[in-house]
Amino acid sequence: MKILISNDDGYLAPGINALAAALAPIADIVVVAPDSNRSGASNSLSLDRPLSVQQAANGFYFVNGTPTDCVHVALTGMLDYRPDLVVSGINNGPNMGDDTLYSGTVAAATEGYLFGIPAIAFSQGAFGWEHIDAAARHARDIIVQYMETLPAPYLLNVNIPNLPYEQLLPPVATRLGRRHQAEPVIRAQDPRGKEIFWIGPPGATKDAGEGTDFYACASGRTSITPLQIDLTHRTQLDVLAKALA
Amino acid sequence: MKILISNDDGYLAPGINALAAALAPIADIVVVAPDSNRSGASNSLSLDRPLSVQQAANGFYFVNGTPTDCVHVALTGMLDYRPDLVVSGINNGPNMGDDTLYSGTVAAATEGYLFGIPAIAFSQGAFGWEHIDAAARHARDIIVQYMETLPAPYLLNVNIPNLPYEQLLPPVATRLGRRHQAEPVIRAQDPRGKEIFWIGPPGATKDAGEGTDFYACASGRTSITPLQIDLTHRTQLDVLAKALA
Amino acid sequence: MKILISNDDGYLAPGINALAAALAPIADIVVVAPDSNRSGASNSLSLDRPLSVQQAANGFYFVNGTPTDCVHVALTGMLDYRPDLVVSGINNGPNMGDDTLYSGTVAAATEGYLFGIPAIAFSQGAFGWEHIDAAARHARDIIVQYMETLPAPYLLNVNIPNLPYEQLLPPVATRLGRRHQAEPVIRAQDPRGKEIFWIGPPGATKDAGEGTDFYACASGRTSITPLQIDLTHRTQLDVLAKALA
Amino acid sequence: MKILISNDDGYLAPGINALAAALAPIADIVVVAPDSNRSGASNSLSLDRPLSVQQAANGFYFVNGTPTDCVHVALTGMLDYRPDLVVSGINNGPNMGDDTLYSGTVAAATEGYLFGIPAIAFSQGAFGWEHIDAAARHARDIIVQYMETLPAPYLLNVNIPNLPYEQLLPPVATRLGRRHQAEPVIRAQDPRGKEIFWIGPPGATKDAGEGTDFYACASGRTSITPLQIDLTHRTQLDVLAKALA
């Protein structure tokens, strides 16, 4: 099995190192990841400047671009083979509900899926990298046990509680929850007296009920949400079609 | 009516200028847009640095950030009121099918929708700004005629053919089409001999049949696709839930 | 006379607009300036990515690069003629003493000088653009009256007090003063709890005695310092040469 | 002895790794360097955004900023002591003549010197890192043998031929040479048809005669140029003072 690994925290992050170490025994792995932290990058692609690919001492490739750039470049010319799986992460902190729209971790996996390759995004439920090796081992278990469960290609969004390996329970299938709107922007002044704005924290959860990814993680369970990328709103499409007819 | 206008081509682009000029007679408008071209920015948010907001001579506000940053900052503290509508564009070139995932134009509208506000992304079907004033007038017509058609909030993705105003026909409701995978990355050398990679062009259309946005635009019609943002794959969720039970 | 105008505050800044307006009646001018604020850019050149040049509605060209990039691109291929003079500014705030090393305004002029063209960097003695039109008119006077005084090429660093035109006195020739070391870095936390560092303010003046640019400006006079760019330390060179002999 | 080490090729570059390894046995070293390649950064300072400092597995600190930012942050608050020496490099390729104005390697050392600390910038005479370990050992020799030769503080610019250690001769004291103006900008098109400009190569040497850094390196000798940072042009100052009197 050949696995392409990327992330949005950058190729130096503990999460991608743990994931690569956990997957190396079961697959031919290649890491192509951003040269620095690109959290919040979503599916952004660098169209107005060229990218460069370099190789670090540990064999990881790093790119001066976004997570999507990394997977895109790997799949459209850099690699001379087609991976069997694209995995992304393990992200520092959760990617659940609406957050998935902004997530570079999910975007890296999405890019693989757009090329017809099964893809899994892994995130830890809490920030700080605690128990990251356990999360990586658990991620490997999920790949080994469930990668044939769904018809290929699929796109899975996995959030793993920060717990010791022994306390990690079998995953549950979830839908994405929803958040309330984001907290206000944080106004401040830079040291030269100029007004600046920091993006504020995400909003509180609005739909975190049973069946959601928020609910699963809050219950100490690993959440797996199968994703799709057709944004068409089918119900509204019918309404609109009638109105425009 | 209060309308917030943004885009991804930057606040100087002809598209946003034409759109603002067309909407000013029918609404109180405010423009908050990126300081430079951010095409391909998707829903990326700037989390690791502060943003600054400046006002140009024509009254437009510009932000050193992404389209999503612009709408986010406007809605979470910069504006002291809640707009009735968020519009984005008019983009230089189409945003159809899978391209919507990467589009900063669509992302700006999506950010408004995430805050519960009706939002419309406008794009021209071909690059080059030809007939941009006609497109802007047509965009106004769509807002005036159809903004009450769907229950609020909604998120519409509109692609307008580059045609004289007289030749623009009533819009049709569409679903998103699909593309084949992207063309290969373009390898080159910079003048110092370093290997560089340019992201290649999008793939050819795979699903451009009747009912799609690709089909509508190819037929010379304005396409309106209602979008939603729940990426959960419902069918696969059932399969996975059974497998994990 | 043909004059190339650049700056480091960006092509939209009031200072470059005032300067262009003041010089247009006496010369064929062309403006090639950064697309956004590049204060503190020093002589930095963009070597790892290509630059693009766009033209604004008012005829100004803007470049997604540094002040040095702008003048470099203009002089090595963009312009089909060789300007008689390169001017930079008018900068928002002073560029005196050691600050000249960091200044993008001075760097833009330096780049012209490196190509053998007389070059003048203009800055206002205080921040805030007060009396910028007076400063621009005064800058024109200096060019008209003194541009033949020194053998070409020369590189002049001019700081103009923020005063009404009637109160601006004839300029004085000065040497660069010196500052004490910079104030401490400002530690803070971003809203996500990450430690961040802001570069602190410049240090107090150490050599601001009579004859320096600091002294002239503090006395309400316009300061003109002729600059050179050979950094060789002649005295120490002799000492070192003996030691190594 | 406490030595602060920085560079402009980024903290992962072979040059800084070789230099740190060579100096660790003779001093307490700390490395604070840019997170990525910042060649051509000159003395640029990041004033409009905060910086973050992270520590790599090997103990090196890296900063999302310029070489000058790195030394500035280290000396104004990050380090709780004052280093005895600031060294920069070893740069990939030469920094001689006018190139020193653009060099981030020289700028990092200059920043130390501005804080009153002896500082040395090291570069290799040719690109490609050949014999980098020999260059690092040779750099250590220079520090050990000559760091007391000049009164502190001083600022030295050292260029070392890419040769095996045994072939490296004692250094010679030099003045900076001069180059002819740079080669033309390189016009190209990006894959989307947009015109782009790459900064071209430096010009040929104009003053590379005996006594210059160019001459020394061409003769296979290590060049040491003592630098100063007062850009005042003394001769022209007298001329101008008379004209303005």
Side-chain angles (χ1 to χ4, degrees):
Chain A
M1 180 165 55
K2 293 181 193 316
I3 301 182
L4 168 62
I5 305 177
S6 194
N7 76 344
D8 76 352
D9 291 318
Y11 78 103
L12 293 165
I16 200 167
N17 277 276
L19 188 58
L23 298 185
I26 65 160
D28 290 337
I29 63 163
V30 61
V31 173
V32 185
D35 61 357
S36 57
N37 192 330
R38 300 286 180 130
S39 294
S42 189
N43 303 87
S44 62
L45 262 183
S46 299
L47 299 175
D48 65 342
R49 63 180 180 81
L51 304 165
S52 67
V53 180
Q54 292 181 267
Q55 192 168 22
N58 67 352
F60 288 11
Y61 293 93
F62 56 98
V63 178
N64 58 346
T66 65
T68 300
D69 287 337
C70 292
V71 174
H72 192 103
V73 166
L75 296 181
T76 62
M78 181 192 148
L79 301 181
D80 57 5
Y81 59 88
R82 186 177 166 87
D84 303 297
L85 184 67
V86 174
V87 300
S88 175
I90 298 173
N91 190 62
N92 183 20
N95 279 307
M96 299 189 282
D98 310 330
D99 303 346
T100 50
L101 285 177
Y102 304 107
S103 166
T105 306
V106 174
T110 301
E111 192 69 10
Y113 176 68
L114 276 166
F115 281 83
I117 301 172
I120 311 179
F122 291 103
S123 305
Q124 275 199 302
F127 288 89
W129 302 119
E130 201 180 3
H131 305 300
I132 185 66
D133 290 326
R137 195 170 154 197
H138 187 65
R140 181 181 60 198
D141 293 346
I142 289 173
I143 292 171
V144 169
Q145 292 172 39
Y146 302 112
M147 79 171 280
E148 308 291 341
T149 304
L150 292 171
Y154 48 79
L155 173 61
L156 303 181
N157 185 43
V158 179
N159 284 272
I160 304 171
N162 296 40
L163 290 172
Y165 185 72
E166 296 72 31
Q167 297 177 29
L168 287 169
L169 303 171
V172 292
T174 59
R175 72 175 192 274
L176 294 177
R178 292 295 308 275
R179 286 192 184 279
H180 284 284
Q181 66 173 64
E183 294 292 310
V185 72
I186 296 159
R187 285 169 189 262
Q189 282 201 333
D190 77 11
R192 274 152 283 279
K194 205 176 70 169
E195 183 174 37
I196 55 176
F197 299 86
W198 290 94
I199 299 290
T205 53
K206 183 161 74 175
D207 172 12
E210 204 169 336
T212 66
D213 46 4
F214 290 123
Y215 185 89
C217 273
S219 315
R221 299 293 293 271
T222 293
S223 160
I224 305 184
T225 311
L227 302 182
Q228 54 84 33
I229 52 151
D230 183 356
L231 302 177
T232 308
H233 194 310
R234 300 284 164 177
T235 321
Q236 290 193 350
L237 176 54
D238 295 340
V239 176
L240 189 67
K242 276 181 200 140
L244 297 183
Chain B
M1 179 163 57
K2 294 180 191 318
I3 301 182
L4 168 64
I5 306 176
S6 193
N7 76 345
D8 76 352
D9 290 320
Y11 77 104
L12 293 165
I16 200 166
N17 277 277
L19 188 58
L23 298 184
I26 64 160
D28 290 337
I29 63 162
V30 61
V31 173
V32 185
D35 61 357
S36 57
N37 191 330
R38 300 285 181 130
S39 295
S42 190
N43 304 86
S44 60
L45 261 183
S46 299
L47 299 175
D48 65 341
R49 64 179 179 81
L51 303 165
S52 66
V53 180
Q54 292 180 268
Q55 191 168 22
N58 67 352
F60 288 11
Y61 294 94
F62 56 98
V63 178
N64 59 346
T66 66
T68 299
D69 288 337
C70 293
V71 174
H72 192 103
V73 166
L75 296 182
T76 63
M78 181 192 147
L79 301 181
D80 56 6
Y81 59 88
R82 186 176 166 87
D84 302 297
L85 184 66
V86 173
V87 300
S88 173
I90 298 174
N91 190 62
N92 184 19
N95 279 306
M96 298 189 280
D98 311 331
D99 303 346
T100 50
L101 286 176
Y102 304 109
S103 165
T105 305
V106 175
T110 301
E111 192 69 10
Y113 176 67
L114 276 165
F115 281 83
I117 301 172
I120 311 179
F122 291 103
S123 305
Q124 274 198 303
F127 289 89
W129 304 118
E130 203 180 1
H131 305 299
I132 186 66
D133 291 325
R137 195 170 154 198
H138 188 64
R140 181 182 59 196
D141 294 346
I142 289 173
I143 292 172
V144 169
Q145 294 173 38
Y146 303 112
M147 78 171 282
E148 307 292 341
T149 305
L150 293 172
Y154 48 79
L155 173 61
L156 301 182
N157 184 44
V158 179
N159 284 272
I160 303 171
N162 297 39
L163 291 172
Y165 184 73
E166 298 71 31
Q167 297 177 30
L168 288 169
L169 302 172
V172 292
T174 60
R175 71 174 193 273
L176 296 176
R178 292 295 309 274
R179 285 192 184 279
H180 284 283
Q181 65 173 65
E183 293 294 307
V185 73
I186 296 159
R187 286 169 188 262
Q189 282 202 332
D190 76 13
R192 274 152 281 279
K194 204 175 72 169
E195 185 174 37
I196 55 175
F197 299 85
W198 290 93
I199 299 290
T205 53
K206 183 161 73 176
D207 172 13
E210 204 170 336
T212 66
D213 45 4
F214 290 123
Y215 185 89
C217 274
S219 314
R221 299 294 292 270
T222 293
S223 160
I224 305 184
T225 311
L227 302 182
Q228 53 85 33
I229 52 151
D230 181 356
L231 303 176
T232 308
H233 195 308
R234 301 282 164 177
T235 322
Q236 289 193 351
L237 175 55
D238 295 341
V239 176
L240 189 67
K242 276 182 199 139
L244 297 184
Chain C
M1 181 164 55
K2 292 179 192 318
I3 301 182
L4 168 63
I5 305 176
S6 193
N7 76 345
D8 75 351
D9 290 319
Y11 78 104
L12 292 166
I16 200 166
N17 277 276
L19 188 57
L23 298 184
I26 65 161
D28 289 337
I29 63 163
V30 61
V31 173
V32 186
D35 61 356
S36 57
N37 192 328
R38 299 286 181 131
S39 295
S42 190
N43 304 87
S44 61
L45 262 183
S46 300
L47 300 175
D48 66 341
R49 63 180 179 81
L51 303 165
S52 66
V53 180
Q54 293 180 268
Q55 191 167 21
N58 67 352
F60 289 12
Y61 294 94
F62 56 98
V63 178
N64 58 345
T66 66
T68 300
D69 288 336
C70 292
V71 175
H72 192 103
V73 166
L75 296 181
T76 63
M78 182 192 146
L79 301 180
D80 56 6
Y81 59 88
R82 184 176 166 87
D84 304 296
L85 184 66
V86 174
V87 301
S88 174
I90 298 173
N91 190 61
N92 183 20
N95 279 306
M96 299 190 281
D98 311 331
D99 303 346
T100 50
L101 286 176
Y102 304 108
S103 166
T105 306
V106 175
T110 301
E111 192 68 10
Y113 177 67
L114 277 166
F115 281 84
I117 301 172
I120 311 179
F122 291 103
S123 305
Q124 275 199 300
F127 288 89
W129 304 118
E130 202 181 1
H131 305 299
I132 184 66
D133 290 326
R137 195 170 154 197
H138 188 64
R140 181 183 58 196
D141 294 345
I142 289 173
I143 292 171
V144 169
Q145 292 172 40
Y146 302 112
M147 78 170 283
E148 307 292 341
T149 304
L150 293 172
Y154 48 80
L155 174 60
L156 302 181
N157 185 42
V158 180
N159 284 272
I160 303 171
N162 297 38
L163 291 172
Y165 183 72
E166 296 72 31
Q167 297 177 29
L168 287 169
L169 303 171
V172 293
T174 60
R175 72 174 192 274
L176 295 177
R178 293 295 309 275
R179 286 191 183 280
H180 284 284
Q181 65 174 62
E183 294 292 309
V185 73
I186 296 159
R187 285 168 188 262
Q189 282 201 333
D190 77 11
R192 275 152 281 280
K194 205 176 71 170
E195 184 174 36
I196 55 176
F197 299 86
W198 289 94
I199 299 291
T205 54
K206 183 162 74 176
D207 173 11
E210 203 169 338
T212 65
D213 45 3
F214 290 124
Y215 185 89
C217 275
S219 314
R221 298 294 293 270
T222 292
S223 160
I224 305 183
T225 311
L227 302 182
Q228 53 84 33
I229 53 151
D230 182 356
L231 302 176
T232 308
H233 194 310
R234 299 284 165 177
T235 322
Q236 289 193 351
L237 176 55
D238 295 341
V239 176
L240 189 67
K242 276 181 201 141
L244 296 184
Chain D
M1 181 163 57
K2 292 180 191 318
I3 301 182
L4 168 63
I5 306 176
S6 194
N7 76 345
D8 76 350
D9 289 320
Y11 78 103
L12 291 166
I16 200 166
N17 277 276
L19 188 58
L23 298 185
I26 65 161
D28 289 336
I29 64 163
V30 61
V31 173
V32 185
D35 61 356
S36 57
N37 192 330
R38 299 285 180 132
S39 295
S42 189
N43 304 86
S44 61
L45 262 182
S46 299
L47 299 175
D48 65 342
R49 62 180 180 82
L51 303 166
S52 66
V53 180
Q54 293 180 266
Q55 191 167 21
N58 67 352
F60 289 12
Y61 293 94
F62 56 98
V63 177
N64 58 344
T66 67
T68 299
D69 286 337
C70 292
V71 174
H72 192 103
V73 166
L75 296 181
T76 63
M78 181 192 146
L79 301 181
D80 55 7
Y81 60 88
R82 186 176 164 87
D84 303 296
L85 185 67
V86 173
V87 301
S88 174
I90 299 174
N91 190 61
N92 182 20
N95 279 306
M96 299 190 284
D98 312 329
D99 303 346
T100 51
L101 285 176
Y102 304 108
S103 166
T105 306
V106 175
T110 301
E111 191 69 11
Y113 176 67
L114 276 166
F115 281 83
I117 301 171
I120 311 178
F122 292 102
S123 305
Q124 275 199 301
F127 288 89
W129 304 118
E130 202 181 1
H131 305 299
I132 185 66
D133 290 326
R137 195 169 154 197
H138 188 63
R140 181 182 60 197
D141 294 346
I142 289 172
I143 292 172
V144 169
Q145 293 173 39
Y146 302 113
M147 79 170 282
E148 308 292 341
T149 305
L150 292 171
Y154 48 79
L155 173 61
L156 302 181
N157 184 41
V158 180
N159 284 273
I160 304 170
N162 297 39
L163 290 173
Y165 184 72
E166 297 71 31
Q167 297 178 30
L168 288 169
L169 302 171
V172 293
T174 60
R175 71 174 193 276
L176 294 177
R178 292 294 309 275
R179 287 192 184 278
H180 284 284
Q181 65 174 64
E183 294 292 309
V185 73
I186 296 159
R187 285 169 189 262
Q189 282 201 332
D190 77 11
R192 274 153 281 281
K194 205 176 70 170
E195 185 174 36
I196 55 176
F197 299 86
W198 290 93
I199 299 290
T205 54
K206 183 162 74 176
D207 172 12
E210 204 169 337
T212 66
D213 46 4
F214 290 123
Y215 186 89
C217 273
S219 315
R221 299 293 292 270
T222 293
S223 160
I224 305 184
T225 311
L227 301 182
Q228 53 85 32
I229 52 151
D230 182 357
L231 302 176
T232 308
H233 194 308
R234 301 282 165 178
T235 320
Q236 290 193 351
L237 175 55
D238 296 340
V239 176
L240 189 67
K242 275 182 200 140
L244 297 184

